[in-house]
Amino acid sequence: MASRTADGYENGRLRREAILDAAFGYFARAGYHGASLREIALAAGVSYPGLRHHFATKDALLLAVLAQREERAAALLERDDALPVLDRLVALLEANRAERGLAQLFARVAAEASEPDHPAHGYFLERYARIRSHLARGLRADAAAGRIGAGVDPERAAVALIALADGLQTQWLLDADAVDMAAELRRSATGILRG
Amino acid sequence: MASRTADGYENGRLRREAILDAAFGYFARAGYHGASLREIALAAGVSYPGLRHHFATKDALLLAVLAQREERAAALLERDDALPVLDRLVALLEANRAERGLAQLFARVAAEASEPDHPAHGYFLERYARIRSHLARGLRADAAAGRIGAGVDPERAAVALIALADGLQTQWLLDADAVDMAAELRRSATGILRG
């Protein structure tokens, strides 16, 4: 019995992961409104009631996908607080270059979520506030270490660096050949951080 | 007869404008996939076949809305080639601040249109290439007039300025109080353009 329970738990976990993987692709390509739970279930190889057992609503599924994928980005940004902020941001864009679907998911859903009644609106408000405050903290350390200009306002520079990274991804997602994201970020951010 | 024909033409033009106005709101709030032609027809006060008479497909309607709204942005950017590029970009963001729906339309649909099979993919590819080349031309004039640093690469700086403007709008659309778009653009772009 113990072993059957453990198997059941393991199967449930695998099914949950298969659903999250399939949902990631659908939300990235079709957005929240365009994605269909029935198509996601089919792609994940589970029944529709099986999917609903794990995720009662489309909202719950979207938020679970965002939270799961966010972990990697957060780990890269927070990995080593001793590194200059700019190096960590460049590493994040380098990683996104190999993960087009991930960049697309956040760009798509962030644009949709500006509507206050979108299920991920609160998630994105909180996400941007968290990243801004994390980068501002890092920029204060950079300033203390003399790595950025003395006149740089850390909160405002954080807003600008995030904007630059988001906007470069918009152009890169449309036309990967038009933009070298990491190089452009480094060049432009260096100008911004000179103060 | 001549007068009835003129009236018919005028009525057709007004119906077409009512459809474009209604469609603008729907595409901005729901994106291409989420917008419904039947709802747009209802909001415009025309029948569904009446809408289809003017716009045979949803693709045609989206592209007509984008082209119509683009005119104003293009006029602001190209208004006065003698003005520094940065002043024109700041004026554009100031104008967008009073036109949340317009900023939202372009942010929403640009994010969707990164998929190569999206009906507006070609439109956005061409739009970004056009804006980049227009800004680069302006930056070359700024450089010749000594208004920006001698080491600034106009093509690359154009990519960065557009990215900054797009990314600031992303944060502003989510949370209007978090970001003073025009002030942030001016501060950060000044750093980038010092070279």
Side-chain angles (χ1 to χ4, degrees), chain A residues 100 104 108 111-112 114-115 121 125 128 132 156 159-160 163 167-168 171 174-175 178 184 187-188 191 194-195, chain B residues 100 104 108 111-112 114-115 125 128 132 156 159-160 163 167-168 171 174-175 178 184 187-188 191 194-195:
Chain A
R100 190 175 189 280
Q104 205 170 14
R108 279 292 304 251
E112 291 187 350
S114 64
E115 283 295 286
H121 184 73
L125 270 185
Y128 275 93
R132 274 196 293 264
R156 288 180 165 149
V159 167
L168 287 172
Q171 292 178 65
L174 263 168
D175 182 1
E184 299 300 342
R187 184 184 356 256
S188 298
R194 212 164 26 212
Chain B
R100 189 176 190 280
Q104 206 170 15
R108 277 292 306 252
E112 290 187 351
S114 65
E115 283 294 288
L125 269 185
Y128 274 93
R132 273 196 294 264
R156 288 184 164 146
V159 167
L168 287 172
Q171 292 178 65
L174 262 169
D175 182 1
E184 298 301 342
R187 184 184 355 255
S188 299
R194 212 164 26 212

Side-chain angles (χ1 to χ4, degrees), chain B residues 135-168:
Chain B
L135 292 189
R137 196 164 56 242
L139 289 171
R140 278 192 292 273
D142 286 348
R147 289 192 290 242
I148 65 175
V152 173
D153 178 315
E155 271 71 27
R156 288 184 164 146
V159 167
L161 294 185
I162 296 166
L164 199 52
D166 278 351
L168 287 172

Side-chain angles (χ1 to χ4, degrees), chain B residues 6-7 19 32 36 40 54 62 65-67 95 101 103-104 112 129 134 136 143-144 154 161 165 171 177 179 186 191:
Chain B
D7 282 359
I19 295 166
Y32 174 76
S36 144
I40 291 170
H54 287 281
L62 174 67
V65 169
L66 293 173
Q104 206 170 15
E112 290 187 351
H134 185 79
L161 294 185
Q171 292 178 65
D177 297 332
V179 182
R186 187 170 286 286

Side-chain angles (χ1 to χ4, degrees), chain A residues 9 33-34 43 58 79 142 176 185:
Chain A
Y9 177 80
H33 298 294
K58 195 173 170 182
R79 187 181 44 174
D142 286 348
L185 178 68

Side-chain angles (χ1 to χ4, degrees), chain B residues 49-156:
Chain B
L51 182 147
R52 298 292 299 272
H53 167 74
H54 287 281
F55 302 99
T57 64
K58 195 173 170 183
D59 298 8
L61 179 55
L62 174 67
L63 293 174
V65 169
L66 293 173
Q68 181 204 40
R69 300 288 164 160
E70 180 80 41
E71 275 174 34
R72 274 192 287 178
L76 265 176
L77 273 187
E78 292 161 22
R79 188 180 44 173
D80 188 348
D81 275 350
L83 281 178
V85 163
L86 182 50
D87 289 348
R88 286 183 270 156
L89 261 186
V90 167
L92 182 61
L93 284 200
E94 286 286 6
N96 281 1
R97 214 149 60 90
E99 295 265 21
R100 189 176 190 280
L102 186 65
Q104 206 170 15
L105 174 74
F106 281 94
R108 277 292 306 252
V109 185
E112 290 187 351
S114 65
E115 283 294 288
D117 59 358
H118 190 283
H121 183 73
Y123 175 88
F124 275 96
L125 269 185
E126 195 271 321
R127 175 177 190 256
Y128 274 93
R130 191 177 69 242
I131 300 179
R132 273 196 294 264
S133 114
H134 185 79
L135 292 189
R137 196 164 56 242
L139 289 171
R140 278 192 292 273
D142 286 348
R147 289 192 290 242
I148 65 175
V152 173
D153 178 315
E155 271 71 27
R156 288 184 164 146

Side-chain angles (χ1 to χ4, degrees), chain A residues 82-152:
Chain A
L83 281 178
V85 163
L86 182 49
D87 289 348
R88 285 183 272 156
L89 261 185
V90 167
L92 183 61
L93 283 200
E94 286 285 9
N96 281 2
R97 213 149 60 91
E99 295 264 21
R100 190 175 189 280
L102 186 65
Q104 205 170 14
L105 175 74
F106 280 95
R108 279 292 304 251
V109 185
E112 291 187 350
S114 64
E115 283 295 286
D117 60 357
H118 190 283
H121 184 73
Y123 175 87
F124 274 96
L125 270 185
E126 195 271 322
R127 175 177 191 256
Y128 275 93
R130 191 177 68 241
I131 300 180
R132 274 196 293 264
S133 113
H134 185 80
L135 292 188
R137 197 162 56 241
L139 290 171
R140 278 192 291 274
D142 286 348
R147 290 192 288 242
I148 65 175
V152 174

